[in-house]
Amino acid sequence: MLLLAFDTATPAVTAAVLDTGTGEVLASADQIDARRHGELLLPTVDAVLREAGVAKERLGAIAVGVGPGPYTGLRVGLATAAALGHALGIPVHGVCTLDGIARAARDGGFVDGPFLVATDARRKEVYWARYDADGVRVEGPAVDRPAEIDEKLATLPAVGAGALLYPDAFPGALEQAPAHQSAAALAAFAADALASGAELPSPSTPLYLRRPDAEVPKNYKTVLPS
């Protein structure tokens, strides 16, 4: 089966095509631009499909990062996945964004024991999760200020842009490890989960972890016609 994966929950606009039968990533592309998710995602998807020599009608499934991530960027990927899945008549599977980064860190040989993944949540906070030596998530995802994360956890090796932003709170931050999401790693994680029958998050339930900045006012001033 050919699996298209993409994610917009971090500053990376990333997409990849993976053959689940062989585990081969046929094409992948990554661009770092936190403000242009909506502009860059579909051209990036088109580019990886062309590079892989795959018509979109041949795709068997889509995997999309469901966060945690900022509301505006995250919804671009989720809305695109829903639209493509509906148009092509194929299933859409959600993947925790932090799980994809964790997979990239392990596949790249950056970690070989328990570790943390932390991404930038803005507002001087991080999205984070803890993983065991096998790369299985055992805590999180959560959003906290770096200083509020348990001291024992903060000393673990840590990957991701959130850990790099706060080196005092994450002394184990690994500078050479992936800072943002990679759709190639996300695709590999999704393929393994599907093959094993593991349950993946619903793509219709994004992991915002907090309310969006813009909210509908709760109390309107009523103005009656004279």
Side-chain angles (χ1 to χ4, degrees):
M1 179 181 73
L2 297 175
L3 174 70
L4 170 67
F6 51 85
D7 194 318
T8 56
T10 73
V13 179
T14 176
V17 178
L18 179 139
D19 184 332
T20 61
T22 64
E24 180 185 1
V25 176
L26 303 180
S28 64
D30 308 282
Q31 298 184 69
I32 309 300
D33 194 326
R35 298 181 179 275
R36 298 175 64 206
H37 292 100
E39 179 181 346
L40 295 175
L41 179 57
L42 281 176
T44 301
V45 168
D46 287 340
V48 296
L49 289 173
R50 286 197 305 270
E51 182 181 343
V54 172
K56 59 182 180 295
E57 290 78 14
R58 290 179 55 200
L59 294 172
I62 294 171
V64 61
V66 296
Y71 178 80
T72 302
L74 181 53
R75 66 180 179 176
V76 170
L78 296 176
T80 301
L84 285 175
H86 178 74
L88 298 173
I90 58 177
V92 179
H93 306 285
V95 179
C96 174
T97 294
L98 303 181
D99 291 347
I101 298 174
R103 176 62 179 257
R106 280 184 54 79
D107 285 356
F110 296 101
V111 292
D112 58 5
F115 65 102
L116 290 180
V117 174
T119 60
D120 182 17
R122 304 174 186 174
R123 304 182 191 174
K124 298 182 179 180
E125 294 179 329
V126 294
Y127 299 116
W128 67 275
R130 178 167 63 96
Y131 296 81
D132 66 16
D134 295 321
V136 177
R137 178 160 39 96
V138 293
E139 187 174 358
V143 58
D144 288 294
R145 291 184 177 273
E148 295 172 351
I149 295 175
D150 187 283
E151 185 175 318
K152 294 179 181 178
L153 299 181
T155 57
L156 290 172
V159 301
L164 298 176
L165 276 174
Y166 303 100
D168 291 341
F170 296 99
L174 303 175
E175 294 185 5
Q176 302 304 315
H180 303 300
Q181 180 65 285
S182 161
L186 183 142
F189 180 93
D192 285 352
L194 292 172
S196 68
E199 185 176 353
L200 289 170
S202 169
S204 62
T205 309
L207 298 172
Y208 293 128
L209 301 189
R210 63 188 182 199
R211 294 182 179 180
D213 293 332
E215 295 185 13
V216 177
K218 295 180 180 179
N219 297 312
Y220 288 97
K221 181 178 179 181
T222 303
V223 179
L224 299 176
S226 56

